[in-house]
Amino acid sequence: MTTAPSPLWQPDAQRLQHSQLSAFREQAEALTGQTLDDYRALHQWSVRDPEAFWNLVWDFCELQGHKGERVLEPSPVFRHNRWFPDARINMAENLLARDDTHPALISVDEAGRRDEISYNDLRVAAGQVAAQLRAAGIQPGDRVAGFMPNRIETVIAALGCAWIGAIWSSCSPDFGVQGVLDRFGQIEPKVLFACDGYHYNGKWIELDQRIHDLHDHLKPELLVVIPGRGDTTRVRQALNWRDWLDAAGPLPEFEPLAFNHPLYILYSSGTTGAPKCIVHGTGGALIQHAKEHRLHGDLGADDVLFYFTTCGWMMWNWLVSGLQTGATLVLYDGNPAYPDAARLFDLIDAEKITHFGTSAKFVQAVEKAGVVPKDSHDLSSLRTLMSTGSPLLHESYDFLYQQVKADLLVSSISGGTDILSCFALGNPVVPVYRGELQCLGLGLDVAVFNDDGEAVVGEKGELVCRAPFPACPVAFWNDPDEERFHDAYFDRFENVWAHGDYAEIVAHQGHDGLIIHGRSDAVLNPGGVRIGTAEIYRQVETLEEIREAIVIGQQFQGDVRVVLFVVPADGVELTDELQKKIRATIRAGASPRHVPAVILTVPEIPRTVSGKIVELAVRDVVHGREVRNSNALANPEALAHFADRPELAE
C-alpha cells in the first residue's frame, strides 16, 4: 500500500477563512445553491458552467467597463468562441482604478537607484502618453513598441498605449538588433520607445547605436527615448521622454474597446524559425490576470508584488496587471545575483514584499551559492513565493522550506506566452506537496491526455485544455487563414488545445495537483519509452559538482540514446568517477531508462534571452541540422560547443 505524501505546507485558519478564494467560493455557492465544499468541487463547477463562472469573476474582481448581457457566443470551433461579445472595456482604466497617493510602482536597479510613483501620479503620466500618442495620430490597433528595461517609464508607456487602444509590444534591451528586428519588424510599429542604456552585472550598457540601427530599419513615425542616466540623450532623431510628456495636452477619455480588441503582441522563443507574433486581447488578459492575482495569488490592495522579469518575457505583462488589485508593484532591472546571490532577498526586506516571484533556476542558483536567507534576512513580510520558467525541482521545495521560510506558500506556476497566463497555479487554501504545482486554474478545463486522446490521472501525457477560455490568443499576426495558429495548438487533438507540456495530474483529497515533466517536443524516447527531461535535471542538479546541465535524445543506430551535457562547478573535472556518480544518482532517483549513454562537458549552455535552455537547438546541432534562428538566443556562440563532437559519432 502506497503511503500518501505529507504536505510541506498547509493553510492556517486565517487563510482558509479570509482568503479571496474562500470569499469567491461563498459567492459561487450563494449564486448556484450548490455546496462547493472543496477546491475540486469549485473547479468542476467553473468548467461545467463557464458562463456563470466568468460572469462572477468579472463582478468579484470589480472590473471596470460595460459587461453586456452575454458572457459567451459559442462556436463549434474552439478558437472562434467569443467571450463577452457585447462588452466594452479598457485595460488602462482597470489598472488605474485606484486613484490616490498609495505607491503604485517602486523601481530599483542594480546600481541602487530607487524611484517611486503613486497611483494618481501614474494615472496622470499614462494619460500624458495617451494624449501625446493621440496627438501624433496613433489610432486603436496601431502598434507601439518598447525596447526597454523593466522600469517605471516602461509601464507608463504601455498603459498610455492601452488607454487609447494601441497595441503594445516589448523586447528587453539585452536583445541584439537582429533579434529585435525579427520581432518588431513583423508588426511594423508606428512608435518606438527606447531607453539609451541600462545596468547589468556592474556595468553600464550603452544602447545608442542599437537604437539608431532599429530606427533606420523600422522607420517608426515617432521615436521617444528615456535617458538612462541624467536628463538628456544622445540618440539623434529622438524626442526626449520628459520633454515629450511635459508638452501633453488634456488627458483623453479611456477608449472603450471590444473584449477581444488586441492589447499586446508577444513572441514565441523563435529558436525553430522566425518568432510567432501572438496577439492577446484586452478582456481575456484582464479577466484571466485578475482571477490569477486575486483568487489564486490572494493579492490585495495592501500587498507588495514582485516578479523578477525582463520586458521580453510574459511575466512582465502579468506583473503589470497586478495593478488591478491596487497593490504596489516592485520592478527590478539588472542582474538578480549582483553583487551576490542574496540581492533579491535584500529587496524583500527593504520593500516589505509579500508576494515574491522568480524562476526555478534562480532558486537553484541561490542554493548552490550557499545562501541561507532564513539566517541572513528578516523576511517577515513574505507570504507567497512564486516560481516559473521551468519545473521547480523537488529539492528546491526542500530548500525553500528549510532555508528560506517554513511558513511560506510556495506556488510553482505554469502556463506560457501562448496564453499570457497559467494553466496551473498556486492556491491559498490547499496544501503544498513536494514537486507539485498546487492546482489546476479555475475556469480552465485542464487535463492530461495519453496518446489515444484519453484523459488520464496518475499517468504522464500531454497537457491539454478541453474547452475554450477567455485568454486564448486572438490571433497570430499575419496569419489570415489561421493555419499557423491551428498547427501550433490544435494539430495534435482535434478542437482541443495541446499546450506542449509533458505532464501528470496527481489526485489529492479535495484537489488535483500537477507535475510538469518537461516540454513535449523535448521528451526523450529511448527504446520507445517516453522520458521527460525534467526528471533527469532533477537528479543531476542535486550534485554540487555540476553547475547546470542539458539533455537531448540522439538518433543512434536505429534507436534514441540519452546524451547529457554538463557544466561542471569551478575547479571540477568530469572524471570517470564523477560520471559513475552522475549515472548512479540518475538510476537511483529516476530509473535505468533515464541513465545517459554519453556524458560530456561544455563550458556553457545556450539559452533564450528569457533564460530558458534550448534543448531543440542543441539537438539540431548534434544531428548536423541548421539552427534556423540563433538570433533568439542570448548566447548563440554556445552552440559551437555541441557541434562535431567525435564522442557522438555513430
Side-chain angles (χ1 to χ4, degrees), residues 385-407:
L385 186 146
M386 294 166 283
S387 169
T388 193
S390 61
L392 187 64
L393 298 181
H394 292 57
E395 291 72 18
S396 293
Y397 283 82
D398 301 336
F399 170 74
L400 291 172
Y401 281 106
Q402 294 168 11
Q403 307 299 338
V404 177
K405 192 173 184 179
D407 184 16

Side-chain angles (χ1 to χ4, degrees), residues 314-337:
M314 59 145 290
M315 293 309 299
W316 183 84
N317 308 75
W318 187 91
L319 171 65
V320 171
S321 290
L323 292 169
Q324 196 274 334
T325 69
T328 299
L329 309 187
V330 176
L331 315 175
Y332 182 79
D333 179 43
N335 183 343

